[in-house]
Amino acid sequence: MRRVDLGRLSVWLFGGLGEIGGNQVLLYTAEGGLLLDFGRPFGRWGAYFTEFLSPRTSGLGLRDLLFLRLLPPVPGLYRDGTGDTLLPTELERELLGGLPLDGGKVLALLLSHAHLDHTGSVGYLRQDLPVVTTAATAAIVKAMQDTAQAGVDGEAAYLSPRLPKEDTGLLEGDRKRYLRRPYRLLGRLQAFPHRSPAVQKTLEGHPWEEASSPLALGPFRVEALPVDHSVPGAAAFVVETPEGLVVYTGDLRRHGRWGAKTEAFLRALEGGEVFLLLVEGTRLGEPGRARTEEEVKQALHAEVARWEGAPVVVDFAPRNLERLLSTLEVAWEVGRRLVVTAKDAYLLWGLAEAEPHPWEAVLREVLVLREGKNRTSGWERALWDEAPVQGISPEEVAQDLGAYLLALGFYEVNRLLDLRLLERKAGRVPRRGAYIFSNSYWADQEQILDLKVLLRWLEALDFRLLPEGLAELPQDPQGVKNPFHTSGHAPEADLREVAERLRPRYLLPIHTERPERWREVYEGEVLLP
């Protein structure tokens, strides 16, 4: 936690300082404040929690997170009203304070994009705090919450009100309703915000409204400029403050499918007077150019074509819809059909309302795996009853696995077992398949363990993992050349160009483990608090 004072403006860095992700930045003045993202700090989080040891938020609210300083101790910032609280006893309230800040003066949260290291702590913020973001980001945030049936930690779009249960000091959730957060959308999203993920639990309050641009918030004027990232809807924020123009990049690159957005962002600002640039630096210290998404698509095409008639799985992150689009185009080119899960289709459905081009056409083109279930959630009923989707059963896929591309990930690998058994039942002769890892790989112990599990499954189901270098479980992910993936972040040369074209009076590094590297690559004034 650091503070930088720049005249009438104070910049508080609660997360994202000397770490990748976990961005929690506060612009604060005497007249009010703005939060720039409020994500989960995965590195610090993993120092205290594991798969089977998690924060006790459902019963004890913010006790664990405030004590461990995984959340800033700012009174008035968190859920603590008459109808909803995450501070059930005085033990939690005593962990707040000690900073010259009033969370009640925070006017809004500016949300740059829908990745958990930027959204993962939004669920704790007070329920009336406006969330300013693009319509695409809002749609993705809600779709991910709907399909995950999230608890307190995931309540970024809406929440289940919680109050202390009588005589226990423990929280109890409302079983009858959800309350929407007041999103202010840069773009339009009309029907999707009203869909409840539950069959009998309603969504109430705080209608999502379209915001003006630029948007006046107390002493600030805010404008969002789209940028290229590995998730749709990403934006940088330009904030007029009492001291001058503050630019927050969020996460960005220009080697993706929509790299022109980042170029347009730079052209809109270069030549002006940028007072402070809060710039990500995930890939500082990495030389060379970045692989483009077009090159990834070409590599996928070449590999899938080599497996003619055989089953092929492509594994990519659930919000990497750019990769889904590349995979869909490869399927067209090689004469296959792309099969996605119902969760993927629901996400596409929400996004198609926010950004009809190209997502409406994508939603209509993919095949959606329709599996038998003991219990159907509200979001699933809505998808099958209302969305323009084409369902396909596992039995139909198993008739000819080589006719499809399967968009499945680690947590869906057991679906391949069903398809193999159904293939045998249909009298088909099984062929060895390819499992293409088109995802990021950072080689921490948890991911190495997951890869070991995945390799055992693939061996049992007769699938080959690609690229083959991953099968060796390398400790150094840089040593694995993966032509089937590219980073969502700009390499060092592109980051340096961002700074040189905007020429800020001050540059403040965030979202990087090497903030000091900026002083080696940039001649302007770099603040290293």
Side-chain angles (χ1 to χ4, degrees), residues 113-126:
H113 64 282
H115 279 153
L116 285 176
D117 59 337
H118 295 255
T119 68
S121 296
V122 174
Y124 314 130
L125 295 172
R126 67 175 200 261

Side-chain angles (χ1 to χ4, degrees), residues 315-317 323 437-443 447 482 485-487:
D315 176 347
F316 48 86
R323 190 64 41 78
F437 192 83
S438 186
N439 213 331
S440 60
Y441 181 74
W442 53 91
Q447 193 174 41
N482 189 352
H485 181 68
T486 188
S487 175

Side-chain angles (χ1 to χ4, degrees), residues 426-449:
R428 308 283 298 183
V429 177
R431 293 184 57 181
R432 191 178 195 203
Y435 188 101
I436 302 175
F437 192 83
S438 186
N439 213 331
S440 60
Y441 181 74
W442 53 91
D444 62 16
Q445 292 304 309
E446 182 178 352
Q447 193 174 41
I448 289 175
L449 178 61

Side-chain angles (χ1 to χ4, degrees), residues 4 11 13 276-279 506-510 525-529:
V4 178
V11 182
L13 301 165
L276 173 66
L277 175 63
L278 288 149
V279 59
Y506 300 107
L507 184 150
L508 184 54
I510 54 172
E525 185 164 356
V526 178
L527 302 175
L528 295 178

Side-chain angles (χ1 to χ4, degrees), residues 313-328:
V313 175
V314 183
D315 176 347
F316 48 86
R319 276 157 284 198
N320 193 346
L321 296 171
E322 175 186 53
R323 190 64 41 78
L324 186 150
L325 185 53
S326 294
T327 306
L328 176 61

Side-chain angles (χ1 to χ4, degrees), residues 4-11 27-29 220 238-248 269 271-278 499 502-508 522 524-527:
V4 178
D5 289 322
L6 300 169
R8 291 166 291 174
L9 176 70
S10 293
V11 182
L27 304 180
Y28 198 75
T29 73
F220 308 104
V238 180
V239 183
E240 292 183 22
T241 77
E243 288 297 329
L245 205 64
V246 173
V247 177
Y248 172 61
L269 293 173
E273 294 185 5
V274 176
F275 175 70
L276 173 66
L277 175 63
L278 288 149
L502 298 188
R503 301 303 303 175
R505 180 174 176 184
Y506 300 107
L507 184 150
L508 184 54
Y522 178 62
E525 185 164 356
V526 178
L527 302 175

Side-chain angles (χ1 to χ4, degrees), residues 16-33:
L17 179 66
E19 63 184 348
I20 293 176
N23 283 21
Q24 298 175 1
V25 180
L26 175 64
L27 304 180
Y28 198 75
T29 73
E31 294 78 30

Side-chain angles (χ1 to χ4, degrees), residues 14-61:
F14 303 124
L17 179 66
E19 63 184 348
I20 293 176
N23 283 21
Q24 298 175 1
V25 180
L26 175 64
L27 304 180
Y28 198 75
T29 73
E31 294 78 30
L34 292 177
L35 278 173
L36 307 177
D37 288 334
F38 208 66
R40 176 177 292 184
F42 284 110
R44 287 182 286 131
W45 188 281
Y48 296 103
F49 300 117
T50 67
E51 181 180 2
F52 299 107
L53 175 62
S54 57
R56 299 170 293 174
T57 47
S58 60
L60 292 174

